[in-house]
Amino acid sequence: MTTAPGSATPITPERLAQFDEESIAVLARRLDEDDYPTPFEGLSDWHLLRALAIHRPELTAPFVHLVDQEPFDED
């Protein structure tokens, strides 16, 4: 399964179930390269990776560094 950057496809359990090792690697590569036409496309991929990290952690373990889950202080 491949997903276009910034895809407007909703994140559903069915969509998450379609991911495999190859498709998660493609998603992670896009996020790592951070070469998106708009910030919203990158954010869409980040939300998708985050959902995968929650629901399919076995696939995202090598890419968890791309999901910034640590709280930060804006001060």
Side-chain angles (χ1 to χ4, degrees), residues 27-72:
L27 175 64
R29 189 174 323 117
R30 285 196 311 256
L31 283 163
D32 195 40
E33 292 172 358
D34 194 26
D35 186 24
Y36 293 95
T38 70
F40 299 106
E41 290 183 25
L43 188 59
S44 177
D45 273 358
W46 182 83
H47 280 290
L48 181 55
L49 184 64
R50 186 169 181 262
L52 285 161
I54 292 167
H55 298 285
R56 306 278 315 272
E58 72 283 1
L59 288 178
T60 59
F63 312 108
V64 74
H65 66 280
L66 295 171
V67 182
D68 183 16
Q69 295 180 334
E70 294 189 29
F72 59 91

Side-chain angles (χ1 to χ4, degrees), residues 2 4 11 16-18 20 24-26 29 43 52 58 62 74:
T2 58
I11 299 173
L16 298 177
Q18 292 177 347
D20 58 17
I24 194 80
V26 170
R29 189 174 323 117
L43 188 59
L52 285 161
E58 72 283 1
E74 293 182 11

